[in-house]
Amino acid sequence: MPIQTSISVSRRSVLLAGAGLAFMQAMRPYMVNAAALNELRITASPARSALTGSTRPETDVWAYDSQVPGPTLRIRQGEPARITVANKLDQGTTVHWHGMRLPIAMDGVPSISQPLIEPGETFTYTFTPPDAGTYWYHPHANSLQQLGRGLSGVLIVEEREPVSVDRDIVWMLSDWRLATDGGIVPGFGNAMEAEMSGRIGNTVTLNGVVPDDQPVQSGERIRLRLVNGALARIMALRFEGHRPVIVAINGQPCEPHEPEGGRILLGPAMRTDLIIDMQGEPNGRFAVIDDFYKGDLTYALTHLAYSSAPHSRKSTPDGGLRLPANPLPEPDLATAKRHDITLQGGMMGGGALKGVGGMSRMSMSGQADIAAWSINGMSMTGDGQAGMPPLLTLQRGRSHVLTIRNETAWWHPMHFHGHSLKVLSRNGLPVPHHQWSDTILFAPKDTVECAFVADNPGDWMLHCHVMDHQVAGLMTILRVA
Ligand code: C2O
Ligand code: CU
Ligand code: CU
């Protein structure tokens, strides 16, 4: 694990030091611990939230700091963070820092990383993020319900040098199944949905509300961090009248490029950082369309609404769009060990479940988890269990290539904990723009090849992030030892 041991000084301490730079340099080794420790605290509890604005009554949710989404946590690359989680729910929970390369003990998987944080207890997560970028956090316990009832938030790891944009904006997108009385429709873990596309809702919120217009200004350059925090809904966003440039995928910088066909494909748990130059005229209004499900199911997520203010800038700012690289270890393909991983099951899955090592068990919600999916013939259900044998043991320090085949008729955002994977090819074609990902979206029948250096010891989850699929068996463990 390439944990950054070099110590950097926080921006705040730089500002404080002002002109006394020589003094700063001299003091650096002593100032760091006090100034740089990112100390944060969040509390999980029941809350009420006006998800639809005033259209429907407030919704009973489970939330971090009583907000949906939870507070956007900002920590700094290469600086230690301590995040204390207090549990005021009436059931055990954990927090998983999705996409972060951190030690296994901080990964938030019950039984494997840590015991549940029981009601009334707290747990302090400490880690030093090696990579800057857009991440998010959510429970890894009773995941369908805890995530589905509102427990999630965005985690931003700031670059050492700020990226030059006029505004840095986060859109945390969530999907809810709401009844007319504003309540969340029960019935999480429906067996039929688990074998199909999962629990797709009827209400998409942006930063916790059904969105109105998003105010923008002509001429400004925006970094927009998109996070899909939905249980199951896949999104494909188009920005009418604009040409967004993708600068990072799932936290990791890529070669800046325009999305294929102008659509930004975002499966559950996936993030995309865009840079958008706001080139509309004052008072213009442009739709942001999600047309993943086509036809009737296409909807306008929101609109970019320009103020009447004139251009704040005549030309686009200087400086490239490329984000500074993260210190990811480059896999050595020549010596890499190759592994095949096959996803099977689901409705129309073609006899997939023969050979399933079916591990059914009662989940915290009291329902039996059903094994509807499998990975190489084994189904691991729920949220993570002790004693589950790893699918593969990967030699530590070595490069590995995973060839993952989706033999099912369904889409799957496949997520690997504790590492970022270099995406080499999809269906035999090289993947452009140097993409690294912790979550890779598979269309039905897709085959993706990805590579990484197994530098982070532990038992790491590999699972689909459609929560119904995860808890119904599309999950396994890869051991790095
Ligand atoms: Cu975001 Cu194991 O998950
Ligand atoms: Cu994760
Ligand atoms: Cu899936």
Side-chain angles (χ1 to χ4, degrees), residues 196 373 410-414 463-470 474:
M196 300 173 71
W373 305 89
W410 303 92
W411 290 76
H412 304 290
M414 294 301 296
H463 65 82
C464 179
H465 225 289
V466 169
M467 278 298 144
D468 304 82
H469 295 178
Q470 176 201 305
L474 206 48

Side-chain angles (χ1 to χ4, degrees), residues 12-13 19-20 55 70 116 154 166 206 256 260 302 433 475:
R12 185 158 29 116
S13 60
T55 326
L116 286 175
V154 176
D166 297 309
L206 187 163
E260 212 182 301
T302 184
H433 316 304
M475 176 160 62

